[in-house]
Amino acid sequence: MEVLGIDVGGTGIKGNIVDTDTGALIGEKFKIKTPTPATPEAIIECLKQMVEQFKWHGKKIGIGFPSVIKNGYSLTASNIDPAFINYHINHEFSLALGCDVKVVNDADAAGIAEITYGKGKGVNGLVIFITLGTGIGSAVFYNGQLLGNTELGHLKYKKSIFEKYASNSARELKHLGWKKWAKELNVYLNHLDLLLSPQLILIGGGVSKFFDQYTQYLDVKTKVDNAALFNDAGIVGAAMAAV
Ligand code: BGC
């Protein structure tokens, strides 16, 4: 089935039409800068632009969104406007876009794609997928089954949370080289490993394609690898979650 998949991030909003039976992207990816402030009204305008760009008349749209999503509501807002806290997101987006819109957490969306078509495929036991972008998102799978909304980027670290030290935006903001940043990432990955004893940790998000630059600085007992679908996983998984 063809579904419009959209990945809303703290920095950019990306979309494409996805064949949910194969995970293939159909056509050219379209990207818009995330507006600031990222209020519901501003995000809806971007989503309308996306629908226009793809001339989307299909029945369904799947959206990955950087918030805990429960019972059709967005509950948290770390890198988006606080107006999204307790916002009836499925309902409001469906109303605004005139079709059935299903929203899931962005890391869960990307993880679904990676566990189905990427390096998580067929792995038994626990797989932790993390996205390192503006924030840190996580998707946890047990025998391929998602345990949603885990928010492992928000584990306490130093005076704040790991997201403020090991995300890609932390690397950019503090002008850290790969080695210095990877030191924080290494602490984070070892913390996850200690808490959950996974079989595999997969790294997704913008930095997954630069894995060669920092893998040598990571020292974790469990296998750590980069995601196979790189940054497109968010779009593919969002579309898959809608069906
Ligand atoms: C949010 C998560 C999201 C992650 C990646 C975090 O700040 O709390 O819900 O998955 O960023 O975008």
Side-chain angles (χ1 to χ4, degrees):
M1 179 176 186
E2 288 187 9
V3 172
L4 177 59
I6 302 176
D7 183 13
V8 177
T11 319
I13 302 176
K14 295 166 285 180
N16 206 339
I17 297 169
V18 178
D19 178 344
T20 55
D21 299 318
T22 61
L25 293 170
I26 300 166
E28 282 291 302
K29 181 159 66 180
F30 184 61
K31 193 170 174 177
I32 314 170
K33 230 172 145 287
T34 305
T36 37
T39 57
E41 295 73 28
I43 295 280
I44 283 173
E45 275 319 302
C46 297
L47 297 176
K48 283 185 173 166
Q49 230 180 299
M50 198 62 82
V51 167
E52 183 107 328
Q53 171 71 20
F54 288 101
K55 303 195 175 14
W56 184 248
H57 299 297
K59 284 206 182 85
K60 279 183 190 294
I61 299 178
I63 299 181
F65 198 78
S67 168
V68 168
I69 309 289
K70 204 167 132 187
N71 302 329
Y73 283 79
S74 48
L75 300 184
T76 59
S78 308
N79 296 306
I80 38 160
D81 195 83
F84 275 106
I85 297 173
N86 293 322
Y87 178 73
H88 202 175
I89 196 162
N90 277 357
H91 174 75
E92 296 295 343
F93 283 8
S94 296
L95 210 64
L97 302 181
C99 71
D100 180 20
V101 180
K102 179 155 186 227
V103 184
V104 290
N105 173 264
D106 57 347
D108 284 346
I112 289 170
E114 193 62 29
I115 206 93
T116 313
Y117 298 115
K119 291 182 185 168
K121 190 176 170 187
V123 181
N124 281 325
L126 200 80
V127 177
I128 302 177
F129 171 83
I130 56 167
T131 60
L132 305 174
T134 310
I136 293 183
S138 60
V140 175
F141 295 87
Y142 189 73
N143 293 342
Q145 284 292 314
L146 173 70
L147 172 68
N149 291 313
T150 44
E151 294 290 334
L152 297 179
H154 288 241
L155 287 167
K156 296 276 177 285
Y157 181 52
K158 294 184 180 168
K159 291 197 175 120
S160 179
I161 55 176
F162 273 104
E163 173 171 286
K164 303 288 178 216
Y165 298 87
S167 62
N168 191 39
S169 63
R171 182 182 70 84
E172 289 175 345
L173 262 171
K174 297 175 190 168
H175 304 286
L176 300 178
W178 291 112
K179 190 174 179 182
K180 271 217 161 134
W181 170 76
K183 233 177 136 176
E184 301 286 21
L185 179 61
N186 192 50
V187 175
Y188 178 53
L189 297 177
N190 273 292
H191 195 61
L192 294 180
D193 195 37
L194 178 80
L195 291 178
L196 295 165
S197 300
Q199 298 289 347
L200 176 66
I201 301 176
L202 289 170
I203 296 182
V207 288
S208 53
K209 57 176 176 286
F210 302 113
F211 193 60
D212 286 354
Q213 303 284 333
Y214 53 88
T215 178
Q216 67 267 35
Y217 307 122
L218 303 178
D219 182 16
V220 189
K221 272 199 316 288
T222 295
K223 183 173 177 194
V224 178
D225 204 350
N226 64 342
L229 305 187
F230 292 147
N231 230 0
D232 287 336
I235 298 173
V236 175
M240 289 171 70
V243 291

